[in-house]
């Protein structure tokens, strides 16, 4: 315990409280501080100018949500293993530690998986995070990694960090909503925490909390369409991917641009070690784009200018009824002087907002379902069986396909 509690002022939770010296020491590691230099929402800032918050503030928020949940569990003497409090708070704080800048684009083009790097950072003896965890308890780095990669035997602990109603989602929906100014992501977090119950190794919700949880699931649904799948933010991501692809292709031809930071060598030459990965942040990529906007390669130069100056690609919904549409567009784009490999992209978005199990009503083993706990304590009822709005969005995957290309391309001639 710390002699005096530390606080962070926070737009979502008011204050974030730290009483535990393990948590305080983890926050002060260089790996956690790096997350201040990585935007949580990638390219969303091109659409929502407020959407600039960092993965650091989100990570603190996830920790705070978990702290409030385990406190509520402890106050109420629910069947919650108190000895796991520090484990689950540390796992929540560290769950995003392996994220790269613009993770989703980078993962697709370069083939990095942030989960792999999270585990490497936590388990590698050279990192400060590892040292702090190990000093606390010899086994702790492995326990924390197991909670984050969902292999820890204590399922209750895992589900607070990743599940249908986990601290990660609870924080990011609210935080992304507050910072973008999009109002749909709001719900009553304090009441959600009040109606959560640990029961038989899973988190369930008191039946009287039905509408509170509905509001949370609908918030998630709205945020996907209003923020995460926003076509303009996706356009910036399409250009970002084209830049990465161009650099990769140039490197393969022995014509690679100047690597403005040693970490970029690792990124594009495929020999990324922990130290290089650690160095990657938004500033390294922005600086590279800044330099490459003067590159002798006309395609790289143009794409970097577009990204920095927000001259984004236009888009339209992909006409699925026309099987040859991509080919036709490809010919048009090419005839107007653009290489379709970099200037024409199909982007598909869509997710499942709430997944439930179609088996027996009381199948308690399925992780992906949310269960409501009847006040008589005798039975658990799967959420979508009681809630019409949740039933309406459950298992639905409303995918949208769009095709992106430069605004200047005359496509309807
Ligand atoms: Ca997260």
């Amino acid at each position: 315990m710390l002699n005096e509690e530390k606080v962070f002022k926070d737009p979502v939770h008011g204050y974030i409280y730290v009483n535990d010296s393990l948590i305080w020491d983890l926050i002060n590691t260089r790996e956690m501080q790096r997350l201040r230099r990585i935007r949580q929402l990638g390219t969303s800032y091109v659409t929502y100018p407020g959407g600039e918050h960092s993965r650091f503030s989100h990570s603190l928020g996830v920790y705070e949500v978990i702290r409030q949940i385990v406190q509520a569990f402890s106050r109420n003497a629910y069947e919650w293993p108190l000895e796991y409090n520090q484990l689950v708070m540390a796992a929540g704080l560290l769950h995003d530690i392996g994220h790269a800048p613009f993770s989703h684009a980078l993962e697709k083009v370069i083939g990095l998986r942030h989960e792999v790097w999270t585990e490497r950072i936590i388990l590698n003896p050279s990192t400060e995070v590892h040292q702090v965890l190990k000093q606390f308890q010899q086994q702790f780095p492995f326990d924390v990694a197991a909670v984050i990669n969902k292999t820890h035997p204590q399922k209750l602990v895992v589900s607070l960090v990743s599940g249908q109603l986990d601290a990660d989602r609870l924080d990011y929906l609210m935080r992304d909503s507050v910072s973008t100014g999009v109002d749909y992501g709001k719900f009553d977090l304090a009441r959600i925490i009040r109606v959560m119950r640990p029961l038989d190794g899973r988190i369930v919700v008191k039946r009287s909390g039905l509408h509170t949880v509905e509001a949370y699931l609908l918030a998630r649904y709205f945020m996907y369409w209003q923020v995460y799948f926003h076509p303009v933010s996706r356009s910036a991501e399409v250009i970002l991917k084209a830049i990465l692809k161009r650099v990769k292709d140039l490197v393969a031809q022995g014509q690679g641009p100047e690597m403005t930071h040693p970490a970029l060598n690792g990124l594009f030459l495929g020999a990324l070690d922990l130290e290089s990965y650690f160095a990657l942040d938004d500033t390294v990529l922005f600086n590279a784009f800044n330099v490459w906007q003067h590159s002798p390669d006309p395609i790289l130069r143009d794409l970097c200018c577009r990204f920095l100056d927000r001259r984004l690609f236009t888009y339209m919904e992909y006409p699925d009824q026309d099987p040859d549409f991509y080919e036709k567009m490809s010919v048009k784009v090419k005839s107007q002087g653009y290489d379709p490999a970099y200037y024409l992209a199909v982007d598909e978005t869509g997710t499942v907002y709430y997944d439930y199990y179609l088996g027996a009503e009381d199948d308690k083993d399925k992780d992906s379902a949310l269960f409501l706990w009847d006040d008589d304590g005798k039975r658990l009822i799967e959420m979508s069986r009681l809630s019409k709005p949740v039933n309406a969005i459950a298992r639905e995957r409303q995918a949208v396909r769009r095709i992106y290309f430069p605004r200047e391309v005359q496509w309807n001639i």
Side-chain angles (χ1 to χ4, degrees):
M1 292 298 263
L2 294 165
N3 291 332
E4 188 181 47
E5 75 180 357
K6 307 282 187 186
V7 293
F8 295 87
K9 194 80 189 81
D10 182 69
V12 176
H13 305 297
Y15 281 104
I16 288 167
Y17 295 91
V18 181
N19 318 91
D20 192 300
S21 47
L22 167 70
I23 298 299
W24 184 244
D25 291 345
L26 287 173
I27 291 171
N28 289 310
T29 58
R30 58 198 290 259
E31 293 86 14
M32 271 302 297
Q33 294 296 318
R34 164 183 173 267
L35 298 183
R36 291 184 187 268
R37 306 191 297 273
I38 297 179
R39 284 196 186 90
Q40 170 77 11
L41 285 178
T43 56
S44 290
Y45 71 92
V46 305
T47 313
Y48 297 104
E52 300 253 7
H53 57 296
S54 68
R55 291 202 179 270
F56 180 79
S57 63
H58 163 61
S59 300
L60 287 185
V62 174
Y63 149 78
E64 175 62 22
V65 171
I66 292 180
R67 190 191 67 81
Q68 292 181 17
I69 293 172
V70 298
Q71 246 193 19
F73 287 177
S74 316
R75 277 201 308 272
N76 288 287
Y78 298 143
E79 45 167 310
W80 165 257
L82 288 178
E83 66 272 23
Y84 286 114
N85 282 4
Q86 282 165 308
L87 175 63
V88 69
M89 288 192 299
L93 181 69
L94 300 177
H95 79 287
D96 273 348
I97 201 141
H99 266 288
F102 303 106
S103 262
H104 301 294
L106 236 69
E107 285 181 15
K108 282 232 170 71
V109 179
I110 312 286
L112 303 169
R113 284 189 45 231
H114 70 264
E115 293 90 350
V116 173
W117 288 97
T118 296
E119 194 164 301
R120 283 188 195 166
I121 289 170
I122 292 173
L123 297 183
N124 193 299
S126 71
T127 67
E128 291 184 10
V129 160
H130 180 89
Q131 288 156 18
V132 170
L133 292 171
K134 193 172 173 180
Q135 205 161 29
F136 178 74
Q137 253 178 41
Q138 192 70 14
Q139 191 57 26
F140 224 53
F142 303 95
D143 292 346
V144 168
V147 172
I148 295 174
N149 70 25
K150 303 186 223 173
T151 55
H152 196 277
Q154 181 56 262
K155 292 295 167 221
L156 195 52
V157 171
V158 172
S159 68
L160 282 185
V161 181
S162 36
Q164 272 293 346
L165 194 60
D166 64 29
D168 182 24
R169 290 179 190 179
L170 289 169
D171 184 79
Y172 77 64
L173 290 174
M174 292 182 60
R175 189 168 303 279
D176 298 346
S177 154
V178 166
S179 77
T180 55
V182 167
D183 270 341
Y184 306 103
K186 304 217 170 96
F187 49 85
D188 189 348
L189 176 65
R191 183 157 156 78
I192 287 194
I193 293 175
R194 275 186 51 76
V195 296
M196 284 170 98
R197 298 283 185 279
L199 187 78
D200 297 339
R202 71 183 315 147
I203 300 291
V204 300
V205 176
K206 233 179 121 177
R207 186 167 177 167
S208 59
L210 172 67
H211 299 128
T212 315
V213 178
E214 277 177 345
Y216 153 80
L217 288 170
L218 290 173
R220 185 156 182 257
Y221 172 79
F222 293 135
M223 284 298 282
Y224 268 98
W225 289 106
Q226 291 298 317
V227 179
Y228 309 132
F229 296 159
H230 197 288
V232 174
S233 313
R234 303 294 292 197
S235 178
E237 196 168 302
V238 162
I239 295 177
L240 180 63
K241 284 182 189 160
I243 294 174
L244 298 173
K245 178 176 159 44
R246 184 62 184 165
V247 174
K248 253 175 76 173
D249 294 348
L250 288 172
V251 166
Q253 296 159 21
Q255 312 266 309
E258 180 196 349
M259 293 296 161
T260 49
H261 189 287
L264 294 173
N265 281 316
L267 187 64
F268 290 108
L269 301 174
L272 199 57
D273 59 11
L274 198 58
E275 204 43 45
S276 305
Y277 190 79
F278 176 76
L280 282 179
D281 58 24
D282 286 1
T283 68
V284 168
L285 287 192
F286 274 106
N287 181 55
F289 301 160
N290 212 334
V291 172
W292 295 340
Q293 68 176 323
H294 308 291
S295 162
D297 178 68
I299 293 179
L300 182 61
R301 186 168 71 223
D302 176 62
L303 291 170
C304 288
C305 285
R306 284 175 185 271
F307 187 77
L308 292 174
D309 302 341
R310 199 188 177 280
R311 284 190 293 110
L312 304 177
F313 288 177
T314 192
Y315 62 91
M316 61 175 143
E317 224 167 278
Y318 195 89
D320 284 320
Q321 70 280 6
D322 184 353
D324 303 323
F325 189 72
Y326 185 87
E327 285 311 313
K328 289 184 207 158
M329 280 301 288
S330 192
V331 171
K332 282 179 191 168
V333 165
K334 204 170 183 173
S335 71
Q336 291 175 55
Y338 297 97
D339 183 342
Y342 310 102
Y343 289 92
L344 184 65
V346 176
D347 181 66
E348 185 171 319
T349 51
T351 190
V352 177
Y353 310 100
Y354 171 67
D355 195 1
Y356 64 93
Y357 180 54
L358 285 170
E361 182 169 336
D362 57 353
D363 187 333
K364 295 170 198 161
D365 298 325
K366 189 65 193 173
D367 293 333
S368 62
L370 249 175
F371 287 91
L372 293 163
W373 174 63
D374 236 331
D375 289 28
D376 63 11
K378 292 206 184 77
R379 85 195 177 112
L380 293 176
I381 309 163
E382 189 276 314
M383 178 91 193
S384 67
R385 290 173 198 270
L386 284 181
S387 163
K388 282 188 179 149
V390 171
N391 190 47
I393 59 166
R395 290 190 87 89
E396 178 202 22
R397 190 173 184 280
Q398 251 186 354
V400 169
R401 289 216 297 162
R402 301 186 185 103
I403 186 160
Y404 286 86
F405 48 88
R407 218 166 273 282
E408 311 84 279
V409 168
Q410 304 284 314
W411 61 273
N412 49 0
I413 47 172

